[in-house]
Amino acid sequence: MADLAKLPVTVVTGFLGSGKTTLISNLIKNPGGKRLAVVVNEFGDVGVDGDILKSCAIPDCPAENIMELANGCICCTVADDFIPTIEALMALEPRPEHIIIETSGLALPKPLLKAFDWPDIRSKITVDGVIALADAEAVAAGRFATDVAAVDAQRLADESIDHETPLSEVFEDQISCADIILLTKPDLAGPEGVAKARAVIEAESPRAIPVVEVAEGEVDPRIILGLEAAAEDDMDARPSHHDGHDDHEHDDFDSVVIDIPEITDPAELVARIEDLARSQNVLRVKGYAAVAGKPMRLLVQAVGARVRHQYDQPWGDRPRAGRLVVIGEHDDISMDAIRAVLSPAREAAE
């Protein structure tokens, strides 16, 4: 007899660098007894997050259950990418018991929810819940909020100005769509920062939403899986800045890919990335570097000027070629300027 129960899907959203991949890596290792499948949607054509997750694969979530959709928005390419991917996962043997979708850090979750009404899948899957991650330190620092003083000054000059920034719109849409919010990196924010971040989120939330502090992506899967929210049937309770639009654009943000030859000093590369964040207002850098004399690949992850790096896995037979994805607001992204900042690291390696 066919299983008529809808397959639950959890949508994990959150701004660039909020910790989505770390969270899902932990869920793969501790799935709460569920057989998982994962869809990773990245902004840019270098599949860093998918590669990280595949390295965490276990029998309950093997590598073939982890699918990547790079350089695109799955809610904008429903027929071409999203539907075939979901159908391929549902056809796996054994069939997954729960699908997790990691959206790009610039994704608006509500348009994705609308994709679940697509005729080919609406009777087969349901959105178990939308999980939004928010970086406590970044939220407390006001990086995603509109500058109130600047808005007031602009209003005096022109009341017709749209005062929302691209960053604040994405952040607010992600919070508004969520069933539960995970406040990440509380150790970096400290108690005062966490309290301030909670206040910001409460002010932005259209309804009462649970907020849970999570460090290093470690959370009991029972907290975020099995919510049975059926979010696709609850769209009116999830307001968006883009309600009423048939589509949405990502023109506010852009990415460039920089090839990095083998380097000798990771600290020099870190310093250049920190400089890049300050001088070019870069939001996110992620990718890999090859370090001379080291058989392991150097994984690099940066949020603004906060850079993390670690050796994650051997290069093996792959070419020792480094590559970084740099993401920022469209008007701030300049290939020449980015290359100029990173070129000293390149020259040191050549």
Side-chain angles (χ1 to χ4, degrees), residues 237-270:
R238 304 165 192 268
S240 165
H241 285 281
H242 298 78
D243 284 339
H245 297 276
D246 292 332
D247 56 11
H248 63 282
E249 299 179 353
H250 300 276
D251 293 344
D252 291 326
F253 304 96
D254 206 349
S255 67
V256 297
V257 177
I258 304 294
D259 291 320
I260 302 292
E262 189 174 83
I263 64 174
T264 56
D265 183 8
E268 171 70 13
L269 178 60
V270 169

Short mmCIF file of all heavy atoms in Angstrom, two decimals, residues 237-270:
data_model
loop_
_atom_site.label_atom_id
_atom_site.label_comp_id
_atom_site.label_asym_id
_atom_site.label_seq_id
_atom_site.Cartn_x
_atom_site.Cartn_y
_atom_site.Cartn_z
N ALA A 237 -0.26 34.68 7.64
CA ALA A 237 0.36 35.02 8.92
C ALA A 237 1.84 35.32 8.79
O ALA A 237 2.51 35.59 9.78
CB ALA A 237 0.15 33.87 9.91
N ARG A 238 2.34 35.27 7.54
CA ARG A 238 3.78 35.45 7.29
C ARG A 238 3.98 36.60 6.31
O ARG A 238 4.29 36.38 5.13
CB ARG A 238 4.37 34.14 6.76
CG ARG A 238 4.12 32.96 7.68
CD ARG A 238 4.38 31.62 7.01
NE ARG A 238 3.86 30.53 7.81
CZ ARG A 238 4.57 29.85 8.72
NH1 ARG A 238 5.84 30.14 8.90
NH2 ARG A 238 4.02 28.88 9.43
N PRO A 239 3.80 37.85 6.76
CA PRO A 239 3.89 39.00 5.86
C PRO A 239 5.30 39.19 5.29
O PRO A 239 6.29 38.82 5.93
CB PRO A 239 3.49 40.18 6.75
CG PRO A 239 3.80 39.73 8.14
CD PRO A 239 3.54 38.25 8.16
N SER A 240 5.36 39.77 4.10
CA SER A 240 6.62 39.98 3.42
C SER A 240 6.63 41.36 2.77
O SER A 240 5.57 41.88 2.39
CB SER A 240 6.84 38.90 2.36
OG SER A 240 7.87 39.26 1.46
N HIS A 241 7.80 41.93 2.62
CA HIS A 241 7.93 43.20 1.89
C HIS A 241 7.55 43.02 0.43
O HIS A 241 7.27 44.01 -0.26
CB HIS A 241 9.38 43.71 1.96
CG HIS A 241 9.74 44.28 3.29
ND1 HIS A 241 9.38 45.55 3.67
CD2 HIS A 241 10.43 43.75 4.34
CE1 HIS A 241 9.84 45.79 4.90
NE2 HIS A 241 10.46 44.72 5.32
N HIS A 242 7.53 41.78 -0.04
CA HIS A 242 7.29 41.52 -1.45
C HIS A 242 5.92 40.91 -1.70
O HIS A 242 5.67 40.37 -2.78
CB HIS A 242 8.39 40.60 -2.01
CG HIS A 242 9.75 41.21 -1.93
ND1 HIS A 242 10.47 41.26 -0.75
CD2 HIS A 242 10.52 41.84 -2.86
CE1 HIS A 242 11.63 41.87 -0.97
NE2 HIS A 242 11.68 42.22 -2.24
N ASP A 243 5.02 40.98 -0.73
CA ASP A 243 3.65 40.52 -0.96
C ASP A 243 3.02 41.32 -2.09
O ASP A 243 3.18 42.54 -2.18
CB ASP A 243 2.81 40.67 0.31
CG ASP A 243 3.13 39.60 1.34
OD1 ASP A 243 3.67 38.57 0.96
OD2 ASP A 243 2.82 39.81 2.54
N GLY A 244 2.30 40.61 -2.95
CA GLY A 244 1.66 41.28 -4.07
C GLY A 244 2.48 41.27 -5.32
O GLY A 244 2.00 41.60 -6.40
N HIS A 245 3.76 40.85 -5.20
CA HIS A 245 4.62 40.74 -6.38
C HIS A 245 4.63 39.29 -6.84
O HIS A 245 4.69 38.37 -6.04
CB HIS A 245 6.06 41.18 -6.05
CG HIS A 245 6.15 42.62 -5.65
ND1 HIS A 245 6.23 43.64 -6.57
CD2 HIS A 245 6.17 43.21 -4.43
CE1 HIS A 245 6.30 44.80 -5.93
NE2 HIS A 245 6.26 44.56 -4.64
N ASP A 246 4.60 39.08 -8.12
CA ASP A 246 4.62 37.73 -8.66
C ASP A 246 6.02 37.12 -8.60
O ASP A 246 6.18 35.91 -8.66
CB ASP A 246 4.13 37.71 -10.12
CG ASP A 246 2.65 38.05 -10.21
OD1 ASP A 246 1.94 37.78 -9.24
OD2 ASP A 246 2.23 38.61 -11.25
N ASP A 247 7.02 37.97 -8.52
CA ASP A 247 8.37 37.45 -8.43
C ASP A 247 9.19 38.40 -7.56
O ASP A 247 8.68 39.37 -7.03
CB ASP A 247 9.02 37.32 -9.82
CG ASP A 247 9.01 38.63 -10.59
OD1 ASP A 247 8.71 39.67 -9.98
OD2 ASP A 247 9.28 38.61 -11.81
N HIS A 248 10.43 38.07 -7.36
CA HIS A 248 11.31 38.96 -6.60
C HIS A 248 12.68 38.92 -7.23
O HIS A 248 13.05 37.98 -7.92
CB HIS A 248 11.38 38.55 -5.13
CG HIS A 248 11.96 37.20 -4.90
ND1 HIS A 248 11.27 36.04 -5.10
CD2 HIS A 248 13.20 36.82 -4.50
CE1 HIS A 248 12.03 34.99 -4.82
NE2 HIS A 248 13.21 35.43 -4.47
N GLU A 249 13.44 39.98 -7.02
CA GLU A 249 14.74 40.10 -7.65
C GLU A 249 15.85 40.01 -6.61
O GLU A 249 15.64 40.24 -5.43
CB GLU A 249 14.85 41.44 -8.39
CG GLU A 249 13.81 41.60 -9.50
CD GLU A 249 13.91 42.94 -10.20
OE1 GLU A 249 14.70 43.79 -9.71
OE2 GLU A 249 13.23 43.13 -11.20
N HIS A 250 17.03 39.65 -7.09
CA HIS A 250 18.20 39.57 -6.23
C HIS A 250 19.25 40.58 -6.69
O HIS A 250 20.43 40.43 -6.40
CB HIS A 250 18.77 38.15 -6.26
CG HIS A 250 17.79 37.11 -5.78
ND1 HIS A 250 17.61 36.83 -4.46
CD2 HIS A 250 16.91 36.34 -6.46
CE1 HIS A 250 16.68 35.89 -4.33
NE2 HIS A 250 16.24 35.59 -5.53
N ASP A 251 18.80 41.61 -7.40
CA ASP A 251 19.73 42.56 -7.98
C ASP A 251 20.41 43.42 -6.93
O ASP A 251 21.39 44.11 -7.24
CB ASP A 251 19.01 43.47 -8.98
CG ASP A 251 18.53 42.72 -10.21
OD1 ASP A 251 19.03 41.59 -10.41
OD2 ASP A 251 17.67 43.23 -10.93
N ASP A 252 19.89 43.41 -5.69
CA ASP A 252 20.53 44.21 -4.65
C ASP A 252 21.88 43.63 -4.24
O ASP A 252 22.70 44.32 -3.64
CB ASP A 252 19.63 44.28 -3.41
CG ASP A 252 18.38 45.11 -3.66
OD1 ASP A 252 18.46 46.08 -4.43
OD2 ASP A 252 17.32 44.77 -3.10
N PHE A 253 22.10 42.36 -4.54
CA PHE A 253 23.32 41.68 -4.10
C PHE A 253 24.02 41.04 -5.28
O PHE A 253 23.41 40.72 -6.30
CB PHE A 253 22.98 40.61 -3.04
CG PHE A 253 22.25 41.16 -1.85
CD1 PHE A 253 20.86 41.09 -1.80
CD2 PHE A 253 22.93 41.75 -0.80
CE1 PHE A 253 20.17 41.60 -0.71
CE2 PHE A 253 22.25 42.27 0.29
CZ PHE A 253 20.86 42.20 0.33
N ASP A 254 25.31 40.84 -5.14
CA ASP A 254 26.07 40.23 -6.21
C ASP A 254 27.22 39.42 -5.60
O ASP A 254 27.56 39.58 -4.42
CB ASP A 254 26.63 41.31 -7.14
CG ASP A 254 26.85 40.80 -8.55
OD1 ASP A 254 26.78 39.58 -8.75
OD2 ASP A 254 27.10 41.63 -9.44
N SER A 255 27.80 38.55 -6.41
CA SER A 255 28.93 37.76 -5.94
C SER A 255 29.98 37.68 -7.03
O SER A 255 29.67 37.77 -8.23
CB SER A 255 28.49 36.34 -5.55
OG SER A 255 28.07 35.61 -6.69
N VAL A 256 31.23 37.54 -6.62
CA VAL A 256 32.32 37.30 -7.56
C VAL A 256 33.14 36.14 -7.02
O VAL A 256 33.18 35.89 -5.81
CB VAL A 256 33.22 38.55 -7.74
CG1 VAL A 256 32.46 39.71 -8.34
CG2 VAL A 256 33.85 38.97 -6.41
N VAL A 257 33.78 35.43 -7.93
CA VAL A 257 34.62 34.29 -7.56
C VAL A 257 36.06 34.64 -7.85
O VAL A 257 36.40 35.08 -8.96
CB VAL A 257 34.20 33.03 -8.33
CG1 VAL A 257 35.13 31.86 -7.98
CG2 VAL A 257 32.76 32.67 -8.03
N ILE A 258 36.92 34.47 -6.85
CA ILE A 258 38.34 34.79 -6.99
C ILE A 258 39.15 33.50 -6.85
O ILE A 258 39.03 32.80 -5.84
CB ILE A 258 38.79 35.79 -5.90
CG1 ILE A 258 37.93 37.06 -5.93
CG2 ILE A 258 40.27 36.13 -6.07
CD1 ILE A 258 38.08 37.88 -7.18
N ASP A 259 39.95 33.18 -7.86
CA ASP A 259 40.86 32.04 -7.78
C ASP A 259 42.12 32.45 -7.01
O ASP A 259 42.71 33.51 -7.28
CB ASP A 259 41.24 31.55 -9.17
CG ASP A 259 40.05 30.92 -9.89
OD1 ASP A 259 39.29 30.20 -9.23
OD2 ASP A 259 39.90 31.16 -11.10
N ILE A 260 42.51 31.64 -6.04
CA ILE A 260 43.66 31.94 -5.19
C ILE A 260 44.72 30.86 -5.39
O ILE A 260 44.49 29.69 -5.06
CB ILE A 260 43.24 31.98 -3.70
CG1 ILE A 260 42.14 33.00 -3.48
CG2 ILE A 260 44.44 32.28 -2.81
CD1 ILE A 260 42.57 34.43 -3.66
N PRO A 261 45.90 31.21 -5.90
CA PRO A 261 46.98 30.23 -6.00
C PRO A 261 47.41 29.77 -4.61
O PRO A 261 47.03 30.36 -3.59
CB PRO A 261 48.11 31.01 -6.69
CG PRO A 261 47.45 32.19 -7.32
CD PRO A 261 46.29 32.52 -6.44
N GLU A 262 48.20 28.73 -4.55
CA GLU A 262 48.68 28.20 -3.27
C GLU A 262 49.36 29.31 -2.47
O GLU A 262 50.15 30.10 -2.99
CB GLU A 262 49.67 27.07 -3.53
CG GLU A 262 50.07 26.32 -2.27
CD GLU A 262 50.93 25.12 -2.57
OE1 GLU A 262 52.17 25.30 -2.74
OE2 GLU A 262 50.39 24.00 -2.66
N ILE A 263 49.02 29.40 -1.19
CA ILE A 263 49.57 30.44 -0.31
C ILE A 263 50.56 29.83 0.67
O ILE A 263 50.61 28.61 0.85
CB ILE A 263 48.44 31.17 0.45
CG1 ILE A 263 47.71 30.21 1.40
CG2 ILE A 263 47.44 31.80 -0.53
CD1 ILE A 263 46.69 30.88 2.31
N THR A 264 51.32 30.70 1.31
CA THR A 264 52.29 30.22 2.31
C THR A 264 51.87 30.56 3.73
O THR A 264 52.25 29.88 4.68
CB THR A 264 53.68 30.84 2.04
OG1 THR A 264 53.57 32.27 2.04
CG2 THR A 264 54.21 30.37 0.69
N ASP A 265 51.05 31.61 3.89
CA ASP A 265 50.72 32.09 5.23
C ASP A 265 49.21 32.36 5.34
O ASP A 265 48.72 33.36 4.83
CB ASP A 265 51.50 33.37 5.53
CG ASP A 265 51.26 33.89 6.95
OD1 ASP A 265 50.60 33.18 7.74
OD2 ASP A 265 51.74 35.00 7.26
N PRO A 266 48.45 31.49 6.02
CA PRO A 266 47.01 31.72 6.18
C PRO A 266 46.70 33.05 6.87
O PRO A 266 45.69 33.69 6.55
CB PRO A 266 46.56 30.54 7.04
CG PRO A 266 47.56 29.46 6.75
CD PRO A 266 48.86 30.18 6.57
N ALA A 267 47.55 33.47 7.78
CA ALA A 267 47.31 34.72 8.50
C ALA A 267 47.28 35.91 7.54
O ALA A 267 46.53 36.87 7.73
CB ALA A 267 48.37 34.94 9.58
N GLU A 268 48.12 35.86 6.50
CA GLU A 268 48.14 36.93 5.50
C GLU A 268 46.82 36.97 4.74
O GLU A 268 46.26 38.05 4.48
CB GLU A 268 49.31 36.71 4.53
CG GLU A 268 49.33 37.62 3.33
CD GLU A 268 49.66 39.07 3.66
OE1 GLU A 268 50.11 39.33 4.80
OE2 GLU A 268 49.45 39.94 2.80
N LEU A 269 46.30 35.80 4.38
CA LEU A 269 45.02 35.74 3.67
C LEU A 269 43.89 36.26 4.57
O LEU A 269 43.03 37.03 4.11
CB LEU A 269 44.72 34.31 3.24
CG LEU A 269 43.38 34.08 2.53
CD1 LEU A 269 43.29 34.92 1.26
CD2 LEU A 269 43.19 32.60 2.22
N VAL A 270 43.91 35.89 5.84
CA VAL A 270 42.90 36.37 6.78
C VAL A 270 42.94 37.89 6.88
O VAL A 270 41.91 38.56 6.86
CB VAL A 270 43.11 35.73 8.17
CG1 VAL A 270 42.24 36.43 9.22
CG2 VAL A 270 42.78 34.24 8.13
#
